[in-house]
Amino acid sequence: MRELGRRSEAASHPFKSELPVAHRRAVVPQQPDHAPLALVGKVGRREEVVAACTGARALGIHVGMAATHARALVSDLDFRPAEPLADAALLDRLALLAVRRWSPIAAVTPSDGLWIDLAGCDHLHGGEESFCRRLRAFCRRAGFTARVAVADTPGAAYALARFGPSACSRAAPGQTAQALAALPVAALRLAPAALVAARKFGFERIADLLPVARGPLARRLGLAAITRLDQALGAVAEPIAPREDAVVPRVERRLLEPIGTAEAIEQVMADLLGDLALVLQAQGLGARSLRLTGLRVDGGEQVVAIGTSRPTREVPHLLRLFKLRIERIDPGLGLEQFVLVAPHTEPLDAVDLGAVLAGETRVRDCARLVDVIAGRIGARSVFRIAPVESHVPERAVTRSDPNDLPGSWPLWQRPVRLFARPEPLSHVLALLPDQPPRRFEWRGRSHTVVAGDGPERIHGEWWRRDAEVWAVRDYYRVEDAGGGRYWVFRRGDGFEEDTGDLSWWIHGVFA
């Protein structure tokens, strides 16, 4: 009884009242859904435990233990062969999902993690902390146990995720060294020989390496260990090679000899477009944008891109658009490799030839003309004016896709050219309240009105802002002695001061 009384744990009193049911449920440990599991793989010439679950580690099984020792220690443990190729395929699928959903730069971290670059896109997920919570929730739903870390460098994130104090760690910007100081030396991804040397010289934590000079430290641990330390601290760059999305249609040509003439580049463009058209046809897609990259002999890149107003895979039309960009390509000493990518595609169905032969498709498609003009003067310079439901003239029109048919226009007479902003008139002579102006000056020239029509009264849209509650405009169509026809208006009705200041403005020009 004396031996039993020396237990260090605090025992509950035998007459203590029982906890409520809700509290008892909270303190009962959750039983695992599966038996303790360990994965066995061949390392060198012997079989070792390469992974173990929490239950197996509680029974004394650890990574690196010989398989025979583990089986002798726990006879009923669930041992399964490790499948590194299947694990690599799963990580690759997760990296592809990360590229499509979270960040354009994501890669696999050998051999059990992912790198995700959040620079410039963390605000899209509600910040770094919110993204970490969402990522852990996603992994939990998928059946994975994940540890997430955010840091300034990939090496620091690797160390905090695997050796950090919590399952969700975050190193403040500029505080990487302080966050890594308490971690073991193994967090730096050192080679086994470097870890043995670190234990030999008494280096247990990363904080022990920071005050040591680089020269003596390199002689003790090796130059590779210094590189890993500098990569974790940000002194040496460690770029992430992102996982490429293979779903994007892509074709490539490698040339036997470099080319530099416009005719040769045009021929390569035609060949690449022919190959890409077959890929798009097999997938039932049409290209909306294409990007051609030419690699020069000196290592430089020449990139040209085109866009289309509608999805298409017609080689002659796309080649015509690319010809407009050949003069922008600087071949230098020669181009030896070309890559054509379609980053933006849309579904493209087959054309109903029966309807075409029957004459049912009478509306001509202007997409080709729009693409050619946009290729010369810019995509933003080609647009169509569409009506908008508003009485205010500058709000009654908007720019739309040139391929879309506009809606029905109102019957009100409007000028051919409507100014984006009305321009003021000076030295206006008019008889209030309803007569058009008899004389005005605009852009330094005097105009004498010989005919006029109006007024057309337009009230302000009171639901937009308070200043338009009582606003009034009286529009007139006037013609001067030189034959010019203008659309002018006066602010105010000529009676109430709240309706306007009686200033005159010109808003458009008739044909």
Side-chain angles (χ1 to χ4, degrees):
M1 294 298 295
R2 292 194 186 96
E3 293 294 330
L4 293 177
R6 293 177 182 176
R7 295 179 59 187
S8 59
E9 295 86 359
S12 58
H13 197 277
F15 298 100
K16 187 176 181 179
S17 61
E18 273 191 304
L19 293 174
V21 177
H23 292 277
R24 291 207 308 269
R25 290 179 180 175
V27 298
V28 171
Q30 183 179 2
Q31 298 296 331
D33 297 335
H34 56 81
L37 174 67
L39 300 181
V40 179
K42 194 170 184 179
V43 180
R45 294 185 178 181
R46 70 169 190 169
E47 289 187 344
E48 294 182 358
V49 176
V50 296
C53 67
T54 305
R57 289 196 299 268
L59 296 175
I61 307 300
H62 59 83
V63 177
M65 177 183 292
T68 55
H69 186 195
R71 289 189 178 97
L73 185 63
V74 183
S75 59
D76 58 345
L77 187 64
D78 187 5
F79 289 97
R80 299 184 184 181
E83 300 179 0
L85 296 180
D87 295 341
L90 177 60
L91 286 175
D92 184 74
R93 291 174 55 191
L94 291 176
L96 181 60
L97 176 65
V99 169
R100 296 177 178 177
R101 178 175 296 185
W102 298 316
S103 173
I105 300 178
V108 176
T109 308
S111 57
D112 57 351
L114 295 178
W115 268 325
I116 302 176
D117 191 353
L118 292 179
C121 59
D122 56 335
H123 65 282
L124 301 176
H125 308 288
E128 296 176 350
E129 296 181 359
S130 176
F131 175 75
C132 292
R133 292 193 300 267
R134 294 174 58 185
L135 184 59
R136 292 196 63 200
F138 167 79
C139 294
R140 193 182 307 112
R141 292 193 302 268
F144 301 112
T145 301
R147 293 175 60 89
V148 184
V150 180
D152 293 340
T153 61
Y158 181 98
L160 289 173
R162 288 161 176 79
F163 299 90
S166 62
C168 187
S169 305
R170 180 178 178 272
Q175 304 294 327
T176 304
Q178 292 80 348
L180 298 179
L183 302 183
V185 179
L188 295 178
R189 296 172 291 167
L190 302 183
L195 293 177
V196 172
R199 288 193 296 268
K200 178 181 177 181
F201 291 102
F203 298 129
E204 297 181 356
R205 301 181 305 164
I206 298 179
D208 301 334
L209 305 177
L210 299 179
V212 183
R214 288 293 189 267
L217 190 60
R219 287 193 296 269
R220 290 177 172 88
L221 304 182
L223 188 59
I226 304 302
T227 303
R228 289 299 190 187
L229 179 60
D230 291 339
Q231 288 177 346
L233 297 178
V236 176
E238 186 179 5
I240 300 176
R243 168 67 163 83
E244 295 184 358
D245 192 353
V247 176
V248 178
R250 181 178 184 271
V251 292
E252 181 179 354
R253 283 293 176 95
R254 297 177 182 267
L255 308 181
L256 296 177
E257 295 182 358
I259 62 174
T261 62
E263 293 77 9
I265 296 175
E266 179 182 344
Q267 182 61 40
V268 175
M269 288 180 175
D271 296 339
L272 288 173
L273 288 173
D275 297 342
L276 185 63
L278 297 178
V279 176
L280 295 175
Q281 184 179 4
Q283 300 179 5
L285 300 175
R288 286 294 307 273
S289 64
L290 296 175
R291 184 176 69 249
L292 178 67
T293 304
L295 302 181
R296 300 195 306 192
V297 177
D298 57 0
E301 292 185 356
Q302 294 293 310
V303 182
V304 291
I306 62 172
T308 59
S309 57
R310 288 185 179 179
T312 181
R313 50 176 179 260
E314 297 184 10
V315 176
H317 177 56
L318 297 175
L319 181 60
R320 182 180 181 184
L321 299 180
F322 266 120
K323 287 181 181 179
L324 302 175
R325 300 288 194 272
I326 291 183
E327 59 183 12
R328 302 183 183 182
I329 299 177
D330 182 13
L333 300 177
L335 298 168
E336 60 180 359
Q337 182 180 354
F338 290 86
V339 179
L340 182 62
V341 182
H344 184 191
T345 57
E346 293 181 2
L348 180 61
D349 297 331
V351 178
D352 188 3
L353 296 180
V356 176
L357 295 176
E360 297 178 1
T361 57
R362 298 180 179 180
V363 180
R364 300 188 62 182
D365 189 6
C366 61
R368 297 184 180 181
L369 177 62
V370 171
D371 295 340
V372 174
I373 298 177
R376 294 182 180 273
I377 64 177
R380 296 184 178 181
S381 302
V382 184
F383 55 89
R384 188 191 293 268
I385 296 297
V388 179
E389 294 184 356
S390 177
H391 293 289
V392 181
E394 60 266 26
R395 299 172 183 165
V397 294
T398 185
R399 295 186 178 185
S400 64
D401 192 324
N403 295 308
D404 296 339
L405 296 179
S408 59
W409 290 90
L411 300 178
W412 303 102
Q413 295 186 9
R414 292 294 181 259
V416 175
R417 181 186 177 189
L418 184 70
F419 300 154
R421 293 182 178 180
E423 300 182 9
L425 302 178
S426 61
H427 301 89
V428 181
L429 181 62
L431 181 62
L432 295 180
D434 297 331
Q435 297 299 320
R438 306 300 300 176
R439 179 184 176 277
F440 62 89
E441 289 187 6
W442 175 51
R443 294 183 179 179
R445 295 182 55 184
S446 179
H447 299 265
T448 301
V449 178
V450 297
D453 186 17
E456 176 188 346
R457 179 160 294 182
I458 296 178
H459 292 268
E461 297 177 343
W462 52 267
W463 58 89
R464 290 181 175 268
R465 54 176 183 169
D466 295 340
E468 299 187 28
V469 174
W470 303 105
V472 172
R473 293 182 186 178
D474 284 344
Y475 279 87
Y476 298 88
R477 298 188 301 272
V478 297
E479 181 179 351
D480 63 359
R485 302 177 63 203
Y486 309 98
W487 202 37
V488 300
F489 70 88
R490 183 190 66 234
R491 286 181 174 174
D493 57 3
F495 295 99
E496 301 291 339
E497 296 181 357
D498 296 338
T499 58
D501 56 0
L502 303 182
S503 59
W504 288 86
W505 304 74
I506 183 171
H507 207 162
V509 179
F510 290 93

